[in-house]
Amino acid sequence: MLTGGRVEGVVDGGSGDVVPAVGGGPRADVVLRAARAVVDGATRAVSVAVREGRIVAVEAFEHPWAAAREVVLAEDEVLLPGLVDTHVHVNEPGRTEWEGFASATRAAAAGGITTILDMPLNSVPATLDPAALAVKRAAAAGQCTVDVGFWGGAVPGNADQLAPLHAAGVFGVKCFLLDSGVAEFPPLDAAGLAVALAELARFDGLLLAHAEDAEEIDAHAHPGGRSFADFVASRPPSAEARAVRALAEAAARAGARAHVVHLSSAAGLAEVAAAKAAGTRLSAETCPHYLTLDAGAVPDGDTSFKCCPPIRDRAEQDALWAGLLDGTIDCVVSDHSPCTVELKRLEEGDFGIAWGGIASVQLGLPAVWTAARSRGVGLETVVGWMASATADLAGLRDRGRIAVGNVADFAVFAPEEEWVVDARSLHHRNAVTPYEGRRFTGAVRSTWLRGNRIDLEGEPRGELLHAPARERP
């Protein structure tokens, strides 16, 4: 939540305005001074000098600078690198009433995120070839408050488009191993998965996979209705485990890189751990809703909690936290997957017909931090999962860290500030979230893109990104 608290201090400590600064050292456009900043995995006092949108130096808090202006953070604030969210469904064009680039990127900025990667499905056309990517980029142009990159898609019959998609700038491709829920993005069967991985292995492309096994899901067919327990039972951990195992085995045979999206269970986690131990090039992510929401507390009929895989119980949640802490799970992303209020079918409360997806791109950092601090996990660790690890997944080596040479993207965070979620105040297009009324600790005070504080009501200044060239290991 972007609040109106003290964000910018001043070198004269008085007026509330940013004033010109003087000093020695390299010339800078702006210097940010923070008594607390997350740098190199630790929290310390620093001053960060920015020139032409890049960090040119990180020095002690008191270091003298020759700078056009200075910004001094308030005592209760921590300077973080801008977060990188590699799993966001923007849905534009085609389903812009669900979400769009303008609203999604404003919400991201309000949540301390400075870079998002857009998923290839739920938009029409899906991002399955360079022509569709061009349509997506044209729709995004001029609308984005933060920087935006794009994933492509892998579906039956488009293996010959995977290399052209990468040449056109996607960061990797996503597939489903069961019905995606939208007709324009069909799933890969075992043979199709093998073909896609073999093609990606030629140029070391990355395959992201929604890993639930179709046969297991079919065997646990959901009867519909208002019972959340019935819905959870219809997407058992065994379906995730079976699909992760199949993905890992196929990736190992092809010598390809693969990534499990939105991991939700201890059984799936065990398969990821086994694959990594065997040397398979497999990584995994999980999401705030799996780390913070407990299936046992979900009211029957409250379809704002529906997502696939489902939110599970506290024991599964504990396993995911352990997997993050031991490095089996690499990162935390939002899987922001919104829809209209009507598609959530809140009045009927029927989990069989409601759209599945959690809208949370603005809320990820405070949600995860609230849970992390209750478990004794430090802010530095959370930032690693949500900034540097996600940047590394995408190959964005100049983001996700406060380091010399990196893009000067920052989030100013007040880790002790408490607030209550009001869905109507969020920048998401539709005011539906399972976090409604939830009390969080930790508020985003401001977000900075390339050394400039983002004005959520101002002209969008986000850029559209192309994936950097990658060298084979």
Side-chain angles (χ1 to χ4, degrees):
M1 181 180 185
L2 204 63
T3 72
R6 276 187 64 204
V7 178
E8 295 182 349
V10 295
V11 292
D12 67 1
S15 67
D17 298 320
V18 179
V19 301
V22 295
R27 186 74 188 176
D29 300 323
V30 61
V31 168
L32 289 82
R33 296 188 190 273
R36 292 184 291 170
V38 175
V39 180
D40 295 332
T43 298
R44 56 190 177 93
V46 299
S47 58
V48 181
V50 176
R51 185 170 62 240
E52 297 180 352
R54 295 262 172 183
I55 298 171
V56 294
V58 180
E59 298 288 353
F61 180 88
E62 304 85 0
H63 187 84
W65 292 104
R69 60 192 178 108
E70 287 193 2
V71 176
V72 182
L73 271 61
E75 292 182 359
D76 66 338
E77 295 171 342
V78 183
L79 185 66
L80 310 180
L83 304 187
V84 177
D85 190 342
T86 54
H87 194 148
V88 179
H89 294 269
V90 176
N91 306 328
E92 185 176 4
R95 294 190 175 96
T96 310
E97 69 274 16
W98 296 17
E99 192 70 279
F101 286 103
S103 53
T105 58
R106 277 197 306 270
I113 298 163
T114 51
T115 303
I116 67 169
L117 265 59
D118 172 59
M119 281 294 169
L121 73 158
N122 298 346
S123 56
V124 181
T127 314
L128 301 179
D129 54 41
L133 175 63
V135 171
K136 179 76 71 82
R137 292 177 67 89
Q143 292 202 76
C144 299
T145 301
V146 302
D147 290 350
V148 177
F150 302 93
W151 298 110
V155 299
N158 86 324
D160 63 340
Q161 296 300 310
L162 301 185
L165 273 168
H166 281 77
V170 302
F171 286 76
V173 293
K174 181 183 182 179
C175 73
F176 273 69
L177 303 183
L178 80 171
D179 182 15
S180 72
V182 292
E184 62 273 8
F185 204 94
L188 295 177
D189 60 14
L193 177 64
V195 169
L197 285 166
E199 174 63 9
L200 291 167
R202 283 198 316 109
F203 51 89
D204 204 34
L206 175 65
L207 180 74
L208 285 67
H210 179 125
E212 288 181 288
D213 182 78
E215 290 185 1
E216 282 279 312
I217 298 297
D218 289 345
H220 294 81
H222 182 233
R226 295 175 58 85
S227 169
F228 187 69
D230 286 350
F231 169 64
V232 174
S234 75
R235 320 284 298 210
S238 58
E240 186 169 67
R242 184 172 172 180
V244 172
R245 186 183 318 124
L247 174 67
E249 291 172 352
R253 286 193 295 270
R257 294 189 297 143
H259 177 77
V260 179
V261 298
H262 49 53
L263 191 73
S264 72
S265 69
L269 177 69
E271 295 294 341
V272 173
K276 286 188 169 187
T280 304
R281 300 169 70 198
L282 186 72
S283 55
E285 69 189 33
T286 192
C287 307
H289 39 283
Y290 301 125
L291 297 172
T292 66
L293 302 175
D294 180 357
V298 175
D300 285 344
D302 192 343
T303 53
S304 68
F305 287 85
K306 181 180 178 181
C307 58
C308 298
I311 293 160
R312 305 192 190 276
D313 62 25
R314 182 61 184 256
E316 299 279 11
Q317 188 180 104
D318 289 345
L320 295 176
W321 279 97
L324 278 165
L325 291 168
D326 70 17
T328 304
I329 303 174
D330 299 270
C331 55
V332 178
V333 300
S334 69
D335 187 11
H336 178 67
S337 186
C339 67
T340 62
V341 175
E342 293 75 19
L343 285 173
K344 270 298 185 183
R345 311 299 279 264
L346 295 167
E347 291 187 4
E348 298 102 318
D350 188 335
F351 286 97
I353 60 175
W355 177 260
I358 304 295
S360 62
V361 70
Q362 186 171 338
L363 301 173
L365 176 58
V368 175
W369 169 237
T370 300
R373 70 196 301 270
S374 73
R375 293 172 177 265
V377 177
L379 183 58
E380 305 91 345
T381 302
V382 171
V383 169
W385 295 332
M386 303 184 77
S388 55
T390 44
D392 290 349
L393 174 69
L396 291 167
R397 300 293 181 175
D398 62 351
R399 296 169 192 248
R401 297 172 176 85
I402 297 175
V404 173
N406 277 12
V407 179
D409 293 347
F410 309 105
V412 175
F413 189 60
E416 289 84 32
E417 181 176 329
E418 295 188 357
W419 58 284
V420 176
V421 176
D422 175 1
R424 295 167 299 179
S425 73
L426 301 177
H427 291 273
H428 304 161
R429 183 177 292 274
N430 293 283
V432 180
T433 175
Y435 297 104
E436 173 70 18
R438 196 174 181 92
R439 179 173 291 277
F440 285 150
T441 302
V444 176
R445 295 269 179 84
S446 66
T447 304
W448 294 64
L449 187 69
R450 283 182 289 281
N452 293 294
R453 182 179 174 180
I454 292 174
D455 177 2
L456 296 180
E457 306 304 322
E459 178 184 355
R461 298 185 181 276
E463 297 181 355
L464 304 184
L465 305 177
H466 286 76
R470 177 179 171 83
E471 297 180 3
R472 287 191 63 91

